């Protein structure tokens, strides 16, 4: 948050922003003109927020203070030539290209030139399954209840539009309770490793021992849990509220950071739906946690020492693949890397990076696993539209899960 606000005109406004609940970057970025007027923002402050939100989407925050001090608005900056941007602000050529690209750098899509074939489901519930029915059925009750909750937030218009943007469109093929990208052909005789096509039993994850490494980010909170947090049962995480758990292969990986960033950027939507966002790590390297949180992920971070969640994704065993076969000879993984690279995210090579991750959506209490996504190829993301739609069904209590095992 402090990095986003910078040293310009928004810095003095920070106490007021916190008082009004604008206490994290994703929420701050959805402010509309009505919200700005409500806290008496000046035109200079509005221009600064617009500039910084645009730069944040493109991982160019290092130019925030320079752009703001120029006194120019975002449209004026975008009208400058490449030469002016370079001479006046010291922008690098690649950064200029990213700045001038009007499309969002955090979109959940691959560059067209690198896009792989369309995805397919790995398993589909039967048509008698309640989850399948909830996907086929969009009632007026869902729409009215969702809108009433969103209106309770200060940014009702922005959030309603955001939910509309991520609503699964007609003709979309739901991938099923267990989802993964397709097993594409690879170079030579190399075959993609097999993955499970059944949801993990609830009994396999409810008693996993986890340790909290960071809280959810708010301005002023400690960057890491001060004292070593005691182990806790995983089921305590979603005892009262549903949760999205992102199992991170390696927090220094550019693709993992990109996935975390694009998911956490939609935090206001998940807040409106009453769903927590939690990242799960299988290694606890202090420097890596500090680099990852809250720059790329502002939700809580937990440590899964026994790798229970990662084993559950692999059907009881860790899903691993070597760098050579899983990346060098895998066109899909290379496309995923290029997608992350286009976001301008930095990376390092610390830690174990061959254990694949994924994502779980957990209903509250003991209601079970609503959705499970497996990282078949390095850098695969669970489709945002699918994740948000499942969470919407959870929020309005339309999803019944399969019997607990």
């Amino acid at each position: 948050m402090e990095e986003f606000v910078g040293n310009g005109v928004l810095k003095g406004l920070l106490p007021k922003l916190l008082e009004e609940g604008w206490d994290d970057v994703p929420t701050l970025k959805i402010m509309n003109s009505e919200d700005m007027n409500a806290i008496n923002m000046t035109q200079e402050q509005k221009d600064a927020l617009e500039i910084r939100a645009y730069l944040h989407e493109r991982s160019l925050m290092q130019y925030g203070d320079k752009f703001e001090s120029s006194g120019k608005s975002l449209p004026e900056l975008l009208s400058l030539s490449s030469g002016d941007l370079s001479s006046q602000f010291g922008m690098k050529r690649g950064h200029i290209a990213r700045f001038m690209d009007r499309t969002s750098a955090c979109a959940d899509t691959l560059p067209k030139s690198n896009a792989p074939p369309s995805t397919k489901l790995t398993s589909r519930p039967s048509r008698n399954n309640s989850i399948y029915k909830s996907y086929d059925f969009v009632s007026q009750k869902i729409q009215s209840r969702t809108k009433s909750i969103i209106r309770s937030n200060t940014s009702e218009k922005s959030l309603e539009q955001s939910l509309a943007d991520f609503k699964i469109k007609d003709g979309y093929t739901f991938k099923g309770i267990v989802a993964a990208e397709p097993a594409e052909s690879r170079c030579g005789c190399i075959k993609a490793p097999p993955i499970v096509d059944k949801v993990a039993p609830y009994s396999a994850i409810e008693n996993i021992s986890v340790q909290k490494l960071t809280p959810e980010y708010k301005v002023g909170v400690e960057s890491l849990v001060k004292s070593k947090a005691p182990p806790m049962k995983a089921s305590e995480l979603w005892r009262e509220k549903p949760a999205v758990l992102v199992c991170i292969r390696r927090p220094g990986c550019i693709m993992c950071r990109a996935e975390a960033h694009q998911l956490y950027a939609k935090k206001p939507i998940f807040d409106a739906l009453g769903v927590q966002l939690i990242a799960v790590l299988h290694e606890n390297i202090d420097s890596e946690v500090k680099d990852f949180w809250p720059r790329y992920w502002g939700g809580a971070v937990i440590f899964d020492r026994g790798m229970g969640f990662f084993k559950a994704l692999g059907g009881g065993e860790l899903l691993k693949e070597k760098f050579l076969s899983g990346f060098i000879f895998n066109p899909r993984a290379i496309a995923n890397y290029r997608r992350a690279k286009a976001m301008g995210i930095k990376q390092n090579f610390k830690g174990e990076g061959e254990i694949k991750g994924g994502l779980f959506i957990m209903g509250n209490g003991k209601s079970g696993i609503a959705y499970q996504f497996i990282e078949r190829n390095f850098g695969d993301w669970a489709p945002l539209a699918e994740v948000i739609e499942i969470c919407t069904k959870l929020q309005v209590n339309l999803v019944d899960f399969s019997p607990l095992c």
Side-chain angles (χ1 to χ4, degrees):
M1 184 75 169
E2 292 88 346
E3 179 187 11
F4 180 87
V5 169
N7 296 311
V9 295
L10 294 176
K11 189 172 184 178
L13 190 64
L14 192 55
K16 182 66 173 177
L17 291 171
L18 301 181
E19 180 184 341
E20 295 294 328
W22 305 100
D23 50 9
D24 59 54
V25 174
T27 306
L28 190 58
K29 285 166 62 179
I30 64 167
M31 287 188 82
N32 57 32
S33 58
E34 186 180 336
D35 300 321
M36 296 178 191
N37 292 334
I39 59 173
N40 300 316
M41 288 179 68
T42 65
Q43 187 58 50
E44 188 180 12
Q45 290 170 333
K46 294 177 182 178
D47 289 343
L49 179 57
E50 183 181 24
I51 289 170
R52 290 181 179 276
Y54 186 89
L55 293 176
H56 189 268
E57 287 291 325
R58 289 153 182 80
S59 297
L60 295 172
M61 288 304 297
Q62 64 267 41
Y63 299 106
D65 288 344
K66 291 181 181 179
F67 280 4
E68 188 181 325
S69 63
S70 72
K72 292 181 170 63
S73 65
L74 180 60
E76 290 172 329
L77 290 167
L78 287 168
S79 69
L80 295 176
S81 67
S82 297
D84 288 338
L85 290 170
S86 177
S87 61
Q88 294 181 32
F89 305 106
M91 289 192 81
K92 298 178 181 179
R93 189 175 185 87
H95 292 172
I96 292 173
R98 200 188 311 156
F99 176 70
M100 300 303 290
D101 179 8
R102 306 297 181 91
T103 60
S104 173
C106 297
D108 185 36
T109 56
L110 288 167
K112 290 182 180 179
S113 59
N114 301 321
S118 59
T119 57
K120 63 179 181 180
L121 59 86
T122 57
S123 71
R124 179 188 293 276
S126 71
R127 289 190 174 271
N128 293 323
N129 184 287
S130 58
I131 293 181
Y132 191 93
K133 288 180 179 178
S134 74
Y135 258 80
D136 286 344
F137 176 67
V138 182
S139 68
Q140 194 64 37
K141 183 178 179 182
I142 298 176
Q143 297 173 11
S144 62
R145 289 191 63 183
T146 302
K147 287 181 179 179
S148 67
I149 289 179
I150 293 171
R151 289 196 183 101
S152 68
N153 281 269
T154 53
S155 300
E156 59 179 84
K157 294 180 182 178
S158 299
L159 283 169
E160 283 197 44
Q161 183 58 49
S162 295
L163 273 174
D165 290 343
F166 283 98
K167 177 174 172 52
I168 289 182
K169 306 296 190 297
D170 292 339
Y172 180 89
T173 301
F174 172 48
K175 295 178 183 177
I177 279 186
V178 180
E181 300 294 353
E184 294 183 31
S185 58
R186 303 188 182 182
C187 299
C189 60
I190 298 175
K191 295 182 179 180
I195 60 171
V196 298
D197 60 359
K198 294 182 179 179
V199 67
Y202 183 74
S203 58
I205 66 171
E206 65 173 332
N207 293 317
I208 292 174
S209 177
V210 299
Q211 180 184 359
K212 192 173 185 179
L213 300 181
T214 77
E216 180 181 345
Y217 175 77
K218 300 290 182 184
V219 175
V221 302
E222 292 293 332
S223 58
L224 295 175
V225 176
K226 272 188 173 181
S227 57
K228 187 175 181 181
M232 60 186 290
K233 286 185 178 181
S235 57
E236 291 298 308
L237 297 170
W238 55 82
R239 180 164 57 89
E240 297 181 355
K241 293 175 62 177
V244 173
L245 286 86
V246 189
C247 298
I248 302 294
R249 181 165 42 82
R250 190 174 63 81
C253 166
I254 187 173
M255 294 177 284
C256 299
R257 287 178 171 185
E259 176 189 18
H261 179 71
Q262 60 88 33
L263 182 63
Y264 187 72
K266 304 298 178 280
K267 178 180 178 291
I269 295 177
F270 292 103
D271 284 347
L273 297 174
V275 178
Q276 309 169 78
L277 295 175
I278 301 170
V280 184
L281 306 183
H282 61 75
E283 284 186 305
N284 182 10
I285 304 175
D286 189 62
S287 61
E288 291 301 283
V289 177
K290 289 179 178 178
D291 284 347
F292 181 69
W293 185 95
R295 179 179 294 273
Y296 303 104
W297 177 264
V301 178
I302 63 171
F303 174 40
D304 177 11
R305 185 187 301 274
M307 304 186 190
F309 284 105
F310 296 85
K311 291 176 181 176
L313 288 167
E317 298 181 0
L318 294 175
L319 185 61
K320 299 182 68 173
E321 192 167 7
K322 295 294 184 182
F323 179 76
L324 189 65
S325 62
F327 184 78
I328 299 299
F329 295 140
N330 186 350
R332 173 78 200 196
I334 292 173
N336 288 339
Y337 173 80
R338 288 173 177 163
R339 169 176 60 180
K341 190 74 172 175
M343 293 171 62
I345 289 176
K346 297 180 180 179
Q347 65 178 320
N348 65 49
F349 298 96
K350 298 177 183 176
E352 209 288 333
E354 296 180 350
I355 298 173
K356 295 184 178 179
L359 179 145
F360 289 100
I361 301 179
M362 304 299 304
N364 66 306
K366 292 190 174 184
S367 51
I369 300 171
Y371 178 79
Q372 175 178 319
F373 181 86
I374 301 167
E375 183 188 23
R376 183 197 293 268
N377 308 285
F378 290 140
D380 283 349
W381 298 349
L384 263 177
E386 198 157 284
V387 172
I388 290 173
E389 187 81 350
I390 283 281
C391 290
T392 302
K393 301 300 183 290
L394 284 176
Q395 189 275 319
V396 296
N397 299 317
L398 278 185
V399 176
D400 296 321
F401 309 118
S402 54
L404 301 180
C405 299

